[in-house]
């Protein structure tokens, strides 16, 4: 599993405040904490409140790179913000994200190629997020075709079937799992799959239980990565255990310790 730490996001009050007051310390603490917890990437999202999001993204990238050598996942719907971040990234980054809409594809994929960045493609378009796996998979196919057209390697394409909160879109969850399975048949090599895990439990009680149960189900369906709360130890133990049961790691009685050390 490729784990993307979700915590440097202006939607969290402490991070939003740190961005607004240009205070590097809370940001750098979260970078180091998530790296120690086993993150492979760090998601950076200025949040809805940033006054000058281009300046904020540049500052976030510089601030995080001063204390962590993890690659970054630049999370914005504003592609000028993503481009400003990419210009500062020392390592190949992950662009988060691009929907299956032609003008956005034409903006994002050439930029990904220019910077050697990877891309998260969303199974949504102007009409929004469809419910059924057929429609989600059709949108994924449009993004696979775009990667091919613009010369972005399929290994660098991550498809996100967009998991929604279970309390408002319960009937979507099985469709997302089926989409994860089907995306693997779209090309050779297949694109990777990724979800924003914490979406599933937004505004519910038992958040951690919902997150880790869905994580294990999605891993069994073939999920390759997740933007998630890497500081949730029970979630990380579930990931380690699912990897053993899916024969992705060699069993040892000490597998939890082994996983934690390796991550
Ligand atoms: N797909 C992709 N990128 C994404 C998402 C996705 N980026 C953002 C998001 N979804 C994933 N990251 C988060 C981060 C935080 C929360 C959910 C998803 C979250 N936040 C608290 C809440 O809303 O209750 C914030 C409140 C707080 O604790 O302060 O749950 O799906 N490609």
């Amino acid at each position: 599993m490729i784990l993307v730490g979700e915590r440097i996001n202006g939607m969290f009050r402490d991070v939003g405040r740190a961005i607004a007051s240009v205070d590097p310390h809370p940001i750098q603490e979260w970078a180091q904490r998530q790296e120690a917890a086993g993150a492979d990437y760090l998601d950076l999202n200025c949040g809805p409140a940033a006054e000058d999001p281009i300046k904020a993204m540049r500052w976030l990238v510089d601030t995080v790179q001063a204390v962590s050598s993890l690659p970054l996942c630049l999370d914005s719907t504003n592609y000028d913000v993503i481009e400003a971040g990419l210009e500062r990234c020392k390592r190949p980054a992950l662009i988060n994200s691009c929907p299956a809409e032609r003008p956005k594809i034409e903006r994002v994929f050439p930029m990904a190629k220019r910077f050697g960045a990877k891309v998260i493609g969303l199974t949504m378009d102007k009409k929004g997020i469809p419910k059924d796996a057929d429609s989600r998979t059709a949108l994924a196919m449009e993004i696979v075709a775009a990667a091919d057209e613009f010369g972005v390697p399929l290994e660098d394409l991550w498809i996100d079937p967009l998991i929604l909160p279970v309390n408002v879109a319960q009937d979507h969850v099985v469709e997302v799992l089926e989409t994860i399975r089907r995306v693997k048949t779209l090309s050779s090599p297949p694109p990777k799959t990724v979800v924003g895990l914490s979406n599933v439990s937004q505004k519910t009680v038992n958040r951690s239980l919902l997150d880790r149960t869905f994580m294990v189900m999605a891993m069994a369906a073939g999920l390759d990565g997740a933007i998630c709360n890497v500081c949730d130890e029970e979630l990380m133990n579930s990931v380690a255990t699912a990897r053993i049961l899916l024969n992705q790691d060699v069993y040892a009685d000490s597998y939890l310790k082994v996983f934690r050390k390796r991550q």
Side-chain angles (χ1 to χ4, degrees):
M1 281 298 283
I2 302 161
L3 300 172
V4 183
E6 71 181 7
R7 196 55 177 73
I8 304 178
N9 186 321
M11 92 157 72
F12 291 99
R13 208 173 304 151
D14 60 339
V15 172
R17 224 184 295 126
I19 293 170
S21 60
V22 201
D23 175 6
H25 297 109
I27 307 294
Q28 292 180 330
E29 252 167 55
W30 277 118
Q32 288 169 320
R33 247 183 94 182
Q34 292 183 104
E35 180 165 2
D40 300 295
Y41 281 82
L42 297 174
D43 192 73
L44 302 186
N45 184 321
C46 308
E51 217 168 279
D52 182 345
I54 291 186
K55 219 169 124 192
M57 183 58 92
R58 282 198 192 111
W59 177 77
L60 273 183
V61 169
D62 292 346
T63 300
V64 168
Q65 286 187 144
V67 297
S68 170
S69 53
L70 289 180
L72 303 176
C73 173
L74 306 180
D75 191 350
S76 176
T77 51
N78 177 336
Y79 299 122
D80 297 333
V81 169
I82 295 210
E83 189 164 37
L86 286 172
E87 283 165 359
R88 300 289 180 113
C89 283
K90 292 184 189 159
R91 279 159 286 277
L94 182 53
I95 296 174
N96 187 9
S97 51
C98 182
E101 283 174 44
R102 202 56 206 179
K104 294 183 179 176
I105 285 172
E106 286 169 3
R107 172 78 172 96
V108 170
F109 280 81
M111 176 164 73
K113 177 103 182 130
R114 186 151 58 88
F115 287 95
K118 304 163 205 295
V119 180
I120 297 179
L122 306 176
T123 63
M124 68 181 289
D125 62 10
K126 275 201 290 282
K127 288 174 281 179
I129 302 172
K131 195 195 97 179
D132 59 285
D134 278 349
S135 311
R136 276 180 157 94
T137 308
L139 293 173
M141 190 61 222
E142 285 182 34
I143 298 165
V144 168
D148 191 47
E149 177 186 347
F150 290 99
V152 170
L154 289 164
E155 300 92 310
D156 291 347
L157 179 64
W158 301 38
I159 296 292
D160 181 345
L162 288 165
I163 185 66
L164 297 168
V166 67
N167 60 355
V168 298
Q170 189 174 359
D171 51 350
H172 281 237
V173 180
V174 289
E175 305 292 337
V176 166
L177 292 169
E178 182 59 20
T179 306
I180 292 168
R181 281 182 210 106
R182 291 194 197 171
V183 161
K184 287 293 164 189
T185 67
L186 290 182
S187 62
S188 178
K192 294 186 171 64
T193 50
V194 63
V195 295
L197 185 72
S198 304
N199 297 0
V200 78
S201 65
Q202 259 176 329
K203 304 220 158 65
T204 66
V205 296
N206 288 328
R207 288 203 70 167
S208 170
L209 179 59
L210 272 165
D211 288 350
R212 66 183 182 269
T213 302
F214 180 68
M215 179 74 124
V216 167
M217 294 168 77
M219 286 175 72
L223 186 73
D224 297 297
I227 303 160
C228 63
N229 178 8
V230 295
C231 297
D232 178 345
E233 210 164 307
E234 287 187 290
L235 172 65
M236 298 299 269
N237 285 343
S238 294
V239 170
T241 305
R243 285 186 59 84
I244 293 292
L245 294 172
L246 292 166
N247 201 26
Q248 293 169 355
D249 278 324
V250 176
Y251 178 81
D253 286 342
S254 58
Y255 76 83
L256 286 180
K257 256 190 221 147
V258 172
F259 180 78
R260 223 169 296 141
K261 237 189 217 150
R262 205 190 47 219
Q263 287 278 322

